[in-house]
Amino acid sequence: MDDDLRSLRNPSECMQKRMFLALFLLLGWMPGPLRAQNGFPDGHLDPTRNIPQTEAHSPHAGLPEEYIWTAGDAAALHPQNHYSFAHQNEKAGPHYFRATFKVKDVPSVATLYVAGPRSAIMFVNGRKVGEVSSDLTSPLGIHVYTTDVTKALRAGNNTIALQVVRGTGIVSVDPSPVVKQQTFGEILAVKIVPAAAGVFTAPILISDGSWKSQLAAPMGWEQPSFDDSAWDPVQTLGPVESSIDMFQWNADAGMYDWPGYDGASSFLRHYSLQPETVTHIFLGRSHFENLAALTTPRNSTMEISAEFTVKPATKLLPDEEAPSLLLDFGREVAGRVELQLDCDCDALVTIQYGESEEEAILGGDYLGINLLRVPAYGVAYGPKSGFRYVKIRFVGGAPQTRFKAIQLDGIEYPVDYEGSFQSSDPLLNRIWETGAYTMHLCMQDDIWDAVKRDRGRWIGDLDVGGHVVNAVFADHFLMEDTMTRLIGKAPVTDDVNGIPGYSALWVTSLADYYRHTGSKNYLRRMHPRLVELLRFMDSGFDSKNLFVNPGKKWLFVDWSPGLYADTPAARRATEIEFYRAYREGAYLLREVGDNSTAEHYEQRATALKTATDKYLLDPATQTYGMRWQTNAMAILSGLATPAQYPAIWSKVLFSVGQEDPDAPIISPYYNYYVVTALAESGHRQQALDWIRKYWGGMLAEGATSFWESYDLRWPKNHFHESLQADGTSGFYVSLAHGWSSGPTAWLMEQVLGIQPTGAGFSSVTIRPDLIDLQWVKGAEPTPHGLIVLELKKQQGTAIILDIPAGVDAQVLVPIMQSSAKVYVNGATMRSTLAEKNQRASIHLDRAGHYTIEAH
């Protein structure tokens, strides 16, 4: 790895339960028995919360075979391809590869594996052993080809020669050269295994730096006698599991059929999970036995008379006659389906995943339908992805094909749920937990936007999701690694993710991380690149200090018409995001003692505010246009002053909601900024109502993780097909997206009211607010320990608070009247009035357990 890394149930009964659950969620109430759902006695969505470390699978030893390519001809490494996407017919010429290897004894069976290219012609010892090509419409960027080469091998020296065309490539946006080259399709992995297809054992040949390659080859180049001494050594990216960058963007999704391939960083953990239900059973002319074995947990005391068995009518079945079933794991999961055979026979199956039931049934559009061979008494895996449902079609096997297990091989980043939130409202509790689980799913090989797509680093997603990671999981390693790789190596010469506004969000994400962790060592390491990024951001303005997008970059603010293209609205919103970043950048620079640069960016922020108020503020309405997104960011950034809040509320934000057919489209991503702006401008009740309606609406439609995109007005009967994002609609849209986890952070920031103001919680503002709740309690991790808080509605105020050493807290206590006195542990404490005499401010600078009352 990188050196810097360290029960089968009645389907109709299930449907009835889901309908009742949806009704209860809409009413804002959830009955006790349904809270312990998903087969887990504590009712947690996250199946990994109860898995002891000792029960997890041991770390995987990386495979030795390497990704190679023709030296000097990796187009994706060139600067002009920094953020370009692979086009199918670009650089589609042949590349020629050769290697020699020794075989002591010719095995009884030998299989050649080739991965990466869209097509390949393969020779062993001058003999053509295969010619293959992939379906260019397939969503997979990498394809694995297998060929029996037993008859072509000989004892002693052997030669392999390949003519290949680069893979079709997939979409990615990442500064890493490894990611660019892999997603561009310019990779080749090869090995010969002395076993039948699908069996994992030590290879007798692998691709590595000893191979040679050319862009052109003369007649006879494939023969063992050909002199390749003038050919260049190949370029190598290292072993296929050697870098975290190799697991991003679904670039390795097609490697699922490569024996021994795990494709997960060593810090990740595997766990097993049985499906909850089996539905949509189709037998064709075949027969299933012991279906209950598929849904019975391994530690169950229930006796299973035999293993799940498929009895096909013939050895090979056409698709329309092949028996099939649908597995439901009860919630969105991250990992891959695992099939274990317990018979002396191979099995051939097709796998199609779905985050929704209809996605799986209709073809698993995102990764397609994947063919998988399971070897006798062996194990095989489907692609890594995010899914809830798996449709399996049994297309080939013996008269009795016994499966020891068909289950989830889950992949997760081991963390503890250190932060917590509970209240008198079960709906809010489920929203909090669902947001936390959504974010945990996205913590994989770095923090991704989603576990289905894009499985990549996006700083906009992290600017929201990072709040959840910091407040719930208190993670350092994955946060730092993700932010570091997002900005890339010095010098900084482009926007983060190629989006100007995302450069601004990198700065604000760093500031929030620093306030939560106080990691000054990391801030010092990032200092040079922070300065370079801010200076690069300076180049986007004209003489009036208006952002004009001189590089004609993609301006993305939100998936809302007019806000994801180079439009006046997107430029206005980007300018405001830059203002926020300049202020936060100046704060960070002062924290590392770079006062002169900090002063420059304080001046830049002032200049942007002057320009924005002069040119972008509507003088008639005193708002920044009529978009929720833009005005929310104006409040959060400090650009809008409290004197402007009434106008922004009465002209724009009062309409937050989607009862009106003309209300704007807004994603769950920017909705976090909107509900935070509502709270900061004094409209917490409206924000809480919107959280219940909007995120609760997803839960009512069956969500177990929060979706990339949502609108209350979109059709419900085929909900997944109706979701819209990325300029498209349907199954492409993710149902587990980290940028949608915002209410989890919001409930801790605005209801528990815990917000760090100094580095690493050296200072913190605690402003608990029940809003319309009867009680609330929770905790937030700090570098010094947990801040624990409980607040109940009663006559007067009763706050129970634990503060660790090293935390200086300003507590804003709600009071009924300005003459109220504040008592701490029974003794009167000096306080000052705040928030128009609705709060009393007290100062607690020592560790302790406090009971705070005001009356």
Side-chain angles (χ1 to χ4, degrees), residues 82-84 173-176 180 457-460 483 485-489 491-507 529-530 532-541 547-556 574 577-578 581-582:
H82 198 159
Y83 287 116
S84 67
V173 180
D174 199 289
S176 163
K180 288 189 293 179
R457 312 175 188 102
W458 289 98
I459 193 59
M483 288 190 292
R485 293 174 187 269
L486 272 164
I487 197 170
K489 295 182 179 180
V492 176
T493 60
D494 205 345
D495 285 301
V496 178
N497 292 126
I499 303 171
Y502 273 26
S503 292
L505 297 183
W506 189 91
V507 180
R529 277 179 271 186
L530 171 62
E532 291 170 355
L533 180 62
L534 289 167
R535 288 174 178 165
F536 181 81
M537 290 165 61
D538 285 344
S539 65
F541 295 88
F547 179 77
V548 294
N549 194 23
K552 303 303 177 186
K553 301 289 186 64
W554 179 35
L555 300 188
F556 175 81
T574 299
E577 289 175 341
F578 271 46
Y582 283 160

Side-chain angles (χ1 to χ4, degrees), residues 337-358:
V337 68
E338 175 184 344
L339 297 94
Q340 301 179 17
L341 266 182
D342 193 26
C343 60
D344 189 16
C345 57
D346 291 350
L348 200 62
V349 304
T350 64
I351 295 167
Q352 49 203 68
Y353 291 154
E355 293 187 295
S356 64
E357 186 176 276
E358 57 188 347

Side-chain angles (χ1 to χ4, degrees), residues 385-403:
S385 190
F387 55 91
R388 173 175 172 172
Y389 301 91
V390 183
K391 181 177 181 179
I392 301 178
R393 184 184 287 112
F394 303 89
V395 297
Q400 293 195 50
T401 307
R402 294 191 311 277
F403 287 87

